[in-house]
Amino acid sequence: RRGLFLMEGMWIAQLPLIQKMRTLLAEGALGQVRHLRAEYGFIGSGVRLERKLSRELAGGALMDVGCYTLAFARLAFGGEPQKIQSLARFGESGTDIYSASILDYGGGRTALLTSTIGAVIPVEGYICGDGGSLYLPNFQAAQKLVYRPKGGPEQVFGSPFSSSGFEYEIQDAMASIAAGRRQSDFWGREDTLATARQIDALHGMWS
């Protein structure tokens, strides 16, 4: 109503290599896309772990790191899944410490997403099609993207951060505000709401 700019801090959306990934997908570099896999896990300790698992602070692996796997799938596939199946394990605090979810996006496209607080899992993302694959060794802070086309040589794209990686989100926000836009072109309000709906759906399955 006030015409103000609003954007969720989903900073992976503005990363140059995530944008390169989306360009390759839009150009059909993988042919018919079939499957995506994204994993994110770590072992926390001390006060930091307590905060991340606190029910009172909306803790749990899904809210803390699983949101990135869901965002990665949306950035790759667009739209929302037609069907979700999921399994979760809970810690003493009552919040999820591990979950594995299969999402059906229709058209033969599926995503397998894993998130955990309590196990070391590489933060990796894969997208596979009948014409090739994409691999991001760390999709959440992507500085390397490997494209493996079917029958062709592997191509490696690099984009080192000039700072922490958050600079791209900051630049996007500044440019959007200067242009009078009310949301980001990279990650808009509907992206935020769609991801929130999926998180709610997963929590509903586990309760």
Side-chain angles (χ1 to χ4, degrees):
R1 293 192 298 268
R2 294 172 178 251
L4 301 177
F5 175 79
L6 179 66
M7 180 179 74
E8 178 191 9
M10 184 53 68
W11 66 292
I12 69 171
Q14 287 90 355
L15 296 178
L17 287 184
I18 294 294
Q19 292 306 308
K20 179 64 176 180
M21 172 195 82
R22 301 187 75 185
T23 297
L24 289 169
L25 291 171
E27 292 174 348
L30 303 189
Q32 180 63 46
V33 177
R34 299 298 187 189
H35 185 64
L36 175 151
R37 177 162 62 90
E39 301 175 333
Y40 194 159
F42 69 97
I43 296 178
S45 62
V47 175
R48 181 169 181 258
L49 178 62
E50 293 176 9
R51 173 178 60 81
K52 290 181 178 294
L53 294 180
S54 169
R55 289 180 64 90
E56 291 74 20
L57 297 177
L62 177 63
M63 293 287 281
D64 191 67
V65 296
C67 58
Y68 290 109
T69 64
L70 288 168
F72 180 70
R74 182 170 178 84
L75 288 163
F77 285 161
E80 296 190 52
Q82 299 176 0
K83 184 178 180 181
I84 302 176
Q85 295 179 311
S86 184
L87 174 69
R89 294 287 181 262
F90 295 84
E92 295 180 359
S93 64
T95 57
D96 58 293
I97 58 174
Y98 170 87
S99 69
S101 305
I102 299 176
L103 293 75
D104 182 354
Y105 284 83
R109 300 172 303 161
T110 58
L112 174 60
L113 309 179
T114 304
S115 59
T116 182
I117 298 175
V120 178
I121 298 180
V123 187
E124 296 181 329
Y126 294 88
I127 308 173
C128 307
D130 60 12
S133 67
L134 295 173
Y135 168 57
L136 293 96
N138 185 349
F139 75 88
Q140 191 254 354
Q143 299 184 72
K144 180 180 180 181
L145 170 65
V146 182
Y147 170 44
R148 300 185 177 108
K150 180 180 178 181
E154 177 179 284
Q155 299 178 41
V156 179
F157 303 94
S159 181
F161 296 158
S162 59
S163 183
S164 62
F166 291 105
E167 61 266 27
Y168 305 105
E169 179 183 59
I170 295 169
Q171 291 164 8
D172 176 35
M174 292 173 63
S176 297
I177 293 169
R181 292 190 290 269
R182 297 175 62 184
Q183 61 181 325
S184 167
D185 291 336
F186 295 99
W187 189 260
R189 288 189 292 272
E190 183 52 35
D191 297 307
T192 294
L193 292 172
T195 304
R197 286 191 291 267
Q198 293 164 37
I199 290 174
D200 286 345
L202 288 166
H203 281 150
M205 291 178 186
W206 303 338
S207 61

